[in-house]
Amino acid sequence: SWAINLGAEKNFCEYINTLRVQYLKDKIDTGTHGSLTLLDLAFEAGFGSKSTFNTVFKRDVGMTPSQFLNKVKSQ
């Protein structure tokens, strides 16, 4: 935990949530999410609630998960 705080300049929970968001973004970007919903992906990544998932995703990416998905689909 100390190394993550020092190296990543985030606390442990923030660091883990950043990894979870990156996992979700990669699944969406590569189209490997199949027919899973955003909420299914969030739970698969390790988020425990929809509200935490939405809050963390928006903070890290700058848009909601739905906005990100629609942006990727339109490209």
Side-chain angles (χ1 to χ4, degrees):
S1 179
W2 174 81
I4 290 171
N5 291 348
L6 187 62
E9 298 180 356
K10 298 178 178 186
N11 69 41
F12 183 75
C13 290
E14 290 171 340
Y15 179 73
I16 295 299
N17 283 335
T18 299
L19 294 176
R20 290 174 175 154
V21 168
Q22 189 57 52
Y23 171 82
L24 286 157
K25 285 176 56 184
D26 290 344
K27 292 282 257 187
I28 292 168
D29 280 338
T30 60
T32 57
H33 62 284
S35 62
L36 293 176
T37 66
L38 287 171
L39 189 56
D40 290 337
L41 286 172
F43 289 140
E44 182 180 290
F47 283 102
S49 73
K50 182 179 179 180
S51 63
T52 301
F53 164 58
N54 286 327
T55 301
V56 171
F57 194 97
K58 186 167 185 174
R59 182 193 68 213
D60 286 4
V61 180
M63 62 182 80
T64 67
S66 298
Q67 290 170 330
F68 181 79
L69 180 61
N70 289 333
K71 179 183 169 195
V72 170
K73 282 182 178 180
S74 69
Q75 293 176 348

